[in-house]
Amino acid sequence: MTRYILRRALEMLATLLVASFLVFLVTEFSPGNVARKTLGAFALQEQVDLLYRKLHLNDPLMERYVRWVGVLTGVEADPLQDPALGLDFKDPRGDRYFGNFGYSTLYKAPVNDVLWDRLGNTALLAGLAFAVIVPVSLGLGVLAGMRAGSPLDRGLSTVSIVMTSIPEFALGVLLVAVFVVWLGVLPGTSPLDTHSGWSIAAQLVLPVAVLAIYDAGYVARMVRTSMAEVMAKPYVRTAVLKGLPRRQVILRHALRNAMIAPFTVILLQVNWLIGGVVVTELVFAYPGFGRMLLDASLFGDVSLIEAATLVALFVATMTQLLSDIGYRLLDPQARR
Amino acid sequence: MALLSIRDLRVEYTTVRGTVAAIPEFSLDIDAGESFGLVGESGCGKSTLIMAIMGYMGRNGAVTRGQILFEGQDIARLGAEPLRRIRGSRIAIVYQEPGTALNPSMTVGRQLMEVPLAHDAKIGRGAARDCAAQALADVHLPDPASVMRRYPHQLSGGQKQRVVIAMALLANPALLLLDEPTTGLDVTVEAAVLDLLNELREKYATALLYISHNLGVIAQVCERIGVMYAGKMVEQAPAAALFRNPRHPYTRGLLASLPRPGADKRSAPLVPIPGVVPAAGRAPPSCGFLTRCPHALAGVCDAGEISLLPAAPEHTVRCARWAELPPVRSPMAGARANLPASDDAPVVQALDLSRAFPVGRRMLLANDRLEITAQRGHVLAIVGESGSGKSTFAKVLAGLDAATSGSLVVLGQEVAGRPVRRRDAKLVAAVQMVFQQPDGTLNPSHPVGWPLARALRKFGIARGGDVEARVTALLEMVRLPPSLRHALPRQLSGGQKQRIAIARAFAGNPQILVADEPVSALDVSVQAAVINLLLAIQAEHRTTMVFISHDLGLVRYLADEVVVMYLGQVMEAGSVAALFEPPYHPYTEALLSAAPVPDPEVRTKRIRLEGEIPSPLAVPPGCRFATRCPRRIGRICDDTPPPLRGAAPGHVIHCHIPLDDLRAVAPVFRHAPAA
């Protein structure tokens, strides 16, 4: 098992390296000139040309990629922080350190100052939502799948479908209409500061509710299908006809096998919760990671886009690793 | 009082189209310690009956009439908790596919321990573990402690079935239900499992209800036999009486579709039962077998419900005309017709043919220096346990795989290293294959005429308008109505699908047909029809057939020559007559002795192989069979590859034992009529 994890971790590193090159490539080829994006629309063409030369943007792609990796790993100094450019980009950590993602032109601050705050906010939201989604969807899915075709199953399945099919946007507006406008018990926006007089906890309720309702229905349906399939397996029949009480049949024989397939799906929700909840963040003005990535993309903030994409990729490969390990723990047949 | 007494049982299923009686009316008595066999084709209601006894019929099934009295108590109307206490402790089941009957993510030990823990409130975990280990020892699994720690996928099929049997016997049940427990296992493993059942039955005096479509295995285990058709018992008798004097036309049909010991395709052709088992609830109410019966008489057989009539002491039959039926003649073979003379050059000739698969740094020798020859127009059977390399040879021959060394000359061309993509269309058309599972070979989204038309076009047999006519001709050749060409595979029965597969193989006028277990997935009566069809087409076209099978009864019936393979090598090869009489290779002798014979009057010499077939990655350096050989003569068997001994022209045996000693053994089969 340890050897397997080590091997998978190495593969993960290789994946990240290849991915970083692809990220670099895509952002470099996005329309517009990096120097122009850095200086903004009102800079003079001469200034842009000067920066273009200073940043060696005429060099071949591979050379620029190596330099970018050099800055990221702290081997080279960030060229944007060169005082000679007169850009006044300063990073209190210095211009040469490991994990230097460069300078955000949108926020006029080092990427590291922007990125991790936003990621922390999103992690809070995602963590709370995940903590609701997993037990709710497992509970609903197992209950429904346990007796496939029963009235309980049909009822729960209908609820799940309705939950999934309401778009996040509509759901957000609906909840705001009820709890903010009508009942007035919760705040309508969640900027995560206390200027409005609402506590942080109160601000989190609605965004978490939107994510949980939207996603739990989907995951519950996955769990239900898997559970129903396992309940029809001959080994479940063996367990029943051995004379085991129903509780033990479900808990010992069905549940674990029913978890194998949805396990990967559940971990995939983490990726979505980190990078894909832009709509919810927009509805509630939540200072999250997804919204930051959207803003950076619209503005053309190359360094921030690259950094954020890399972080999202890292999260994705981590969940992949976790799901592979978990899969092997759940399914003895996978451990060969 | 009987241990189990089923009285006028009716089991119904509710479907979207209404209520269907899977079992319209069924009665059966089994005494304590008795072994009762229930036979019938699939769809006759055997499994439904077992699940009804266990009270496990799903959401839409129910017992609507009658009683299932077990130890005097009606278990068909028991509450959940009393029923749970009977399941697994008083009545236990051994299932058809042991691979799926065990939980893949729980160790064998824990699955076994659950039985005592569920039924004995006072037992502790330690005692339960001891019980489980003892049960594994009882079913002769070596090293129970290590088996307990393993997961099901780490055991072989035979070992898994032993675990399932151990699980069923753990609570010492009064009644053991066996649902085709050996279907899908190798003959040698099947024989060992049947021995085990007989041994355990003597030891624990457990009553057995054994359901199977295989009359051969029933003959070996059961004292009394019932024949079930369309949910009703149609005949019931002591085993010997049933085989000697079957009275119901269906029973006779089942027996006639099986190759009898000693018979072959020339002396006693198989007689299949026409038609198929009617769907549940669709059988004629008077006699369910009416539509398929050769003796049906209007006005007598369809006049009204026929009851179970006493025909002889302890022998009952549900047939209005049983007394008028002609007596059965035992088709015990007399003279065997001689083989068709063959002066032709062999159409298939393998010399030192090997197929190795690299596995890590080692080599897996699936085929190791094979020498196999097939004559034009003959049927060459290849037999051996799973893992013997039969299918690998078939694939190399058909071009689905390529050999790694040696020579394979097919129709005058060297093809050893040439898979299909390196063969020309003519050669591809000349060597065709029929597979075991017809389901997997037909595309579910195309009508069945499609692969036929495609094969005709690909091989340039027909173009444009001719294709239609040829497809019709092909369907007629396999005795299917031409209208069936528009049907989708799922609308066809297993036998019909296999006929389509045969038609497809014959589309390109092949000279060699490779058939890999083509009938092992089919019911006996359907099997007989498909075999007859294959043999008829083969004889008409003078096709050479390479027939791969583990069913020795069938091989004896249809083959001209037989090759016995073990662990990638040929052990013995010769004409079918030579192979089934001494001298035998010890492995052939063991295989023959393991084959279940559907006739209790034929005594079979009892030879059982110990252990499992060794890993093909670590083959013994001397004789491949030495590790399991009951007649091993010494170190020479382990160290030196055996010499080739020519027993007769065309009959070769690879063995260290001198020919005279091999000749001296008694034949495996002996006819011994019961007194």
Side-chain angles (χ1 to χ4, degrees):
Chain A
M1 195 69 184
T2 325
R3 270 190 58 188
Y4 172 77
I5 295 174
L6 270 175
R7 206 186 74 218
R8 293 284 314 171
L10 278 176
E11 283 172 19
M12 205 178 105
L13 218 67
T15 313
L16 276 177
L17 199 67
V18 173
S20 75
F21 179 69
L22 290 176
V23 167
F24 182 76
L25 198 72
V26 169
T27 42
E28 291 292 311
F29 277 114
S30 62
N33 165 331
V34 176
R36 165 62 71 188
K37 285 179 197 161
T38 309
L39 292 172
F42 302 108
L44 296 172
Q45 188 58 40
E46 289 153 38
Q47 289 174 295
V48 173
D49 290 345
L50 178 74
L51 184 61
Y52 201 85
R53 276 195 305 279
K54 292 253 180 187
L55 293 178
H56 301 285
L57 292 178
N58 268 330
D59 289 350
L61 185 75
M62 268 326 275
E63 241 170 78
R64 280 183 286 138
Y65 171 69
V66 169
R67 208 178 305 133
W68 178 70
V69 173
V71 172
L72 180 60
T73 51
V75 179
E76 286 192 46
D78 180 5
L80 279 176
Q81 287 189 39
D82 187 352
L85 291 177
L87 285 170
D88 199 22
F89 286 174
K90 278 200 195 70
D91 190 335
R93 300 171 192 84
D95 61 358
R96 197 189 291 253
Y97 62 94
F98 183 81
N100 186 356
F101 282 116
Y103 212 85
S104 160
T105 50
L106 169 62
Y107 295 95
K108 304 280 183 249
V111 167
N112 279 315
D113 287 354
V114 185
L115 185 71
W116 302 111
D117 281 355
R118 292 301 194 96
L119 190 65
N121 292 345
T122 288
L124 177 68
L125 180 63
L128 288 172
F130 197 66
V132 177
I133 291 167
V134 171
V136 167
S137 57
L138 287 187
L140 290 181
V142 167
L143 275 180
M146 231 165 75
R147 295 170 196 269
S150 67
L152 179 73
D153 174 32
R154 268 177 257 151
L156 289 178
S157 296
T158 312
V159 170
S160 309
I161 294 177
V162 170
M163 277 161 66
T164 319
S165 28
I166 306 174
E168 292 161 89
F169 186 79
L171 192 60
V173 173
L174 186 77
L175 291 184
V176 167
V178 175
F179 292 97
V180 179
V181 181
W182 182 30
L183 297 175
V185 290
L186 288 169
T189 55
S190 315
L192 293 191
D193 55 38
T194 43
H195 299 311
S196 56
W198 292 99
S199 70
I200 302 282
Q203 292 180 29
L204 281 167
V205 173
L206 284 182
V208 167
V210 169
L211 293 179
I213 291 175
Y214 179 70
D215 201 38
Y218 168 73
V219 179
R221 280 166 55 75
M222 294 284 162
V223 175
R224 185 229 164 243
T225 310
S226 177
M227 185 72 186
E229 226 168 76
V230 167
M231 286 305 286
K233 292 273 187 203
Y235 56 79
V236 168
R237 183 183 66 184
T238 308
V240 173
L241 298 187
K242 244 184 216 184
L244 292 187
R246 190 170 169 80
R247 231 180 101 78
Q248 285 185 21
V249 174
I250 304 282
L251 292 179
R252 284 202 209 145
H253 289 271
L255 211 50
R256 176 170 172 173
N257 290 300
M259 282 306 105
I260 294 172
F263 186 71
T264 313
V265 175
I266 289 175
L267 277 175
L268 281 177
Q269 304 315 306
V270 175
N271 299 350
W272 174 71
L273 285 171
I274 295 289
V277 293
V278 189
V279 175
T280 309
E281 291 180 352
L282 276 177
V283 169
F284 294 99
Y286 191 89
F289 187 77
R291 221 180 98 207
M292 177 197 76
L293 190 52
L294 180 69
D295 290 343
S297 307
L298 293 174
F299 186 80
D301 188 343
V302 175
S303 301
L304 189 54
I305 297 172
E306 283 167 348
T309 317
L310 271 185
V311 167
L313 272 167
F314 179 74
V315 172
T317 45
M318 273 311 280
T319 51
Q320 183 66 49
L321 179 68
L322 276 180
S323 81
D324 285 356
I325 294 170
Y327 186 78
R328 285 168 76 90
L329 287 177
L330 280 172
D331 185 1
Q333 290 187 69
R335 296 177 218 153
R336 283 189 218 226
Chain B
M1 187 190 64
L3 174 75
L4 176 76
S5 179
I6 298 174
R7 293 186 187 161
D8 304 329
L9 180 73
R10 185 178 176 88
V11 179
E12 289 180 354
Y13 280 88
T14 324
T15 67
V16 279
R17 297 209 188 103
T19 309
V20 168
I23 298 181
E25 195 188 329
F26 191 88
S27 298
L28 170 68
D29 282 320
I30 297 178
D31 288 328
E34 186 186 24
S35 66
F36 189 91
L38 194 60
V39 292
E41 290 165 282
S42 38
C44 281
K46 307 186 300 289
S47 294
T48 308
L49 178 72
I50 290 239
M51 288 306 150
I53 295 172
M54 275 300 202
Y56 191 81
M57 286 165 288
R59 299 178 54 80
N60 57 344
V63 170
T64 51
R65 205 168 62 212
Q67 293 174 305
I68 303 174
L69 296 172
F70 175 73
E71 295 180 328
Q73 190 181 19
D74 186 2
I75 54 173
R77 285 173 185 77
L78 223 48
E81 181 55 22
L83 186 62
R84 180 191 77 72
R85 268 187 244 125
I86 288 176
R87 286 170 172 173
S89 82
R90 302 301 298 149
I91 309 179
I93 300 200
V94 177
Y95 305 87
Q96 178 167 7
E97 283 174 40
T100 60
L102 295 171
N103 185 339
S105 62
M106 198 188 263
T107 58
V108 166
R110 280 194 59 196
Q111 297 192 48
L112 288 168
M113 282 161 61
E114 280 183 338
V115 177
L117 288 171
H119 293 291
D120 187 347
K122 289 189 290 289
I123 201 168
R125 291 191 67 82
R129 188 171 295 118
D130 294 343
C131 280
Q134 183 55 45
L136 287 177
D138 283 351
V139 295
H140 308 304
L141 273 171
D143 197 2
S146 117
V147 174
M148 298 263 288
R149 281 193 304 272
R150 279 190 247 172
Y151 288 97
H153 71 269
Q154 294 165 322
L155 301 173
S156 72
Q159 289 173 326
K160 275 184 252 191
Q161 193 57 296
R162 281 172 194 267
V163 169
V164 173
I165 294 173
M167 190 184 287
L169 291 173
L170 254 174
N172 197 4
L175 175 65
L176 186 60
L177 309 175
L178 297 134
D179 185 359
E180 306 256 10
T182 61
T183 307
L185 299 179
D186 264 319
V187 270
T188 49
V189 181
E190 174 176 79
V193 168
L194 295 179
D195 285 350
L196 174 69
L197 286 175
N198 276 328
E199 177 200 323
L200 295 172
R201 202 168 74 78
E202 270 172 38
K203 196 159 150 192
Y204 297 109
T206 311
L208 301 187
L209 172 55
Y210 194 128
I211 66 172
S212 179
H213 67 275
N214 187 334
L215 281 156
V217 297
I218 292 268
Q220 279 183 32
V221 179
C222 301
E223 295 157 348
R224 218 148 53 88
I225 297 178
V227 180
M228 192 169 184
Y229 189 81
K232 287 182 184 174
M233 184 78 90
V234 296
E235 184 165 3
Q236 192 176 319
L242 191 95
F243 280 99
R244 197 179 329 114
N245 198 358
R247 307 217 183 233
H248 195 280
Y250 181 58
T251 316
R252 293 178 173 202
L254 283 180
L255 284 167
S257 19
L258 281 178
R260 277 336 236 336
D264 66 38
K265 58 187 171 190
R266 294 182 189 84
S267 65
L270 301 183
V271 187
I273 305 172
V276 290
V277 178
R282 294 284 181 82
S286 57
C287 167
F289 193 55
L290 186 68
T291 48
R292 301 174 74 190
C293 184
H295 304 289
L297 198 66
V300 178
C301 296
D302 53 6
E305 189 146 345
I306 300 155
S307 51
L308 210 52
L309 308 162
E314 294 185 65
H315 196 153
T316 51
V317 55
R318 192 187 294 275
C319 177
R321 303 191 63 209
W322 71 268
E324 308 159 38
L325 297 184
V328 247
R329 273 182 302 124
S330 169
M332 200 58 201
R336 286 181 67 97
N338 285 326
L339 281 179
S342 174
D343 311 320
D344 294 323
V347 287
V348 176
Q349 190 155 33
L351 263 179
D352 279 334
L353 188 74
S354 298
R355 172 63 170 114
F357 296 90
V359 177
R361 254 162 283 158
R362 293 186 291 178
M363 276 292 174
L364 188 156
L365 277 169
N367 279 176
D368 189 8
R369 287 163 289 150
L370 294 186
E371 290 197 14
I372 292 175
T373 308
Q375 307 285 338
R376 178 177 306 280
H378 284 208
V379 179
L380 172 76
I382 303 182
V383 296
E385 289 166 285
S386 29
S388 60
K390 320 183 285 280
S391 292
T392 304
F393 174 70
K395 282 185 193 154
V396 171
L397 178 56
L400 298 176
D401 194 2
T404 40
S405 69
S407 144
L408 177 64
V409 177
V410 172
L411 303 166
Q413 292 189 54
E414 175 59 55
V415 299
R418 287 167 65 196
V420 164
R421 67 190 145 76
R422 293 181 53 205
R423 296 182 184 185
D424 57 44
K426 229 178 117 193
L427 186 59
V428 172
V431 186
Q432 283 294 304
M433 197 158 175
V434 174
F435 298 88
Q436 179 172 13
Q437 294 289 347
D439 285 307
T441 53
L442 292 173
N443 187 329
S445 49
H446 282 296
V448 295
W450 187 82
L452 303 183
R454 190 179 139 87
L456 289 169
R457 286 198 199 95
K458 278 264 167 192
F459 293 139
I461 304 293
R463 300 196 176 281
D466 294 348
V467 174
E468 293 287 297
R470 288 286 303 178
V471 168
T472 307
L474 281 173
L475 288 171
E476 276 167 3
M477 180 180 83
V478 295
R479 322 266 194 278
L480 286 177
S483 59
L484 218 61
R485 68 197 307 170
H486 303 296
L488 288 172
R490 63 182 148 81
Q491 296 167 311
L492 268 57
S493 70
Q496 288 176 321
K497 275 184 255 192
Q498 199 58 302
R499 282 165 195 262
I500 294 290
I502 292 169
R504 191 211 54 78
F506 275 96
N509 300 323
Q511 299 185 55
I512 298 164
L513 183 71
V514 185
D516 190 354
E517 304 262 13
V519 295
S520 62
L522 306 175
D523 259 317
V524 275
S525 71
V526 183
Q527 191 172 339
V530 171
I531 286 293
N532 280 355
L533 176 74
L534 260 180
L535 287 177
I537 303 174
Q538 179 260 336
E540 191 188 322
H541 294 75
R542 281 215 356 116
T543 316
T544 303
M545 182 151 77
V546 176
F547 189 90
I548 290 171
S549 181
H550 66 275
D551 185 341
L552 286 154
L554 202 55
V555 164
R556 175 163 214 186
Y557 171 75
L558 61 75
D560 299 311
E561 282 95 23
V562 184
V563 170
V564 180
M565 281 181 71
Y566 182 80
L567 215 52
Q569 284 189 336
V570 173
M571 296 287 116
E572 181 173 3
S575 73
V576 67
L579 218 100
F580 280 76
E581 298 293 335
Y584 307 111
H585 187 283
Y587 180 58
T588 312
E589 198 179 357
L591 275 185
L592 290 177
S593 130
V597 177
D599 187 343
E601 294 186 357
V602 171
R603 297 274 172 270
T604 308
K605 192 159 69 171
R606 191 172 175 285
I607 298 164
R608 293 294 180 260
L609 295 184
E610 299 291 326
E612 307 270 326
I613 188 162
S615 159
L617 283 170
V619 291
C623 173
R624 289 290 153 86
F625 187 53
T627 54
R628 293 169 79 198
C629 183
R631 301 189 62 192
R632 187 178 157 275
I633 51 176
R635 288 292 303 274
I636 188 170
C637 294
D638 302 328
D639 305 335
T640 319
L644 185 154
R645 300 188 189 275
H651 183 194
V652 293
I653 299 176
H654 293 257
C655 188
H656 285 292
I657 304 173
L659 264 182
D660 288 336
D661 292 356
L662 289 175
R663 270 200 193 99
V665 299
V668 170
F669 302 111
R670 195 163 48 84
H671 193 69

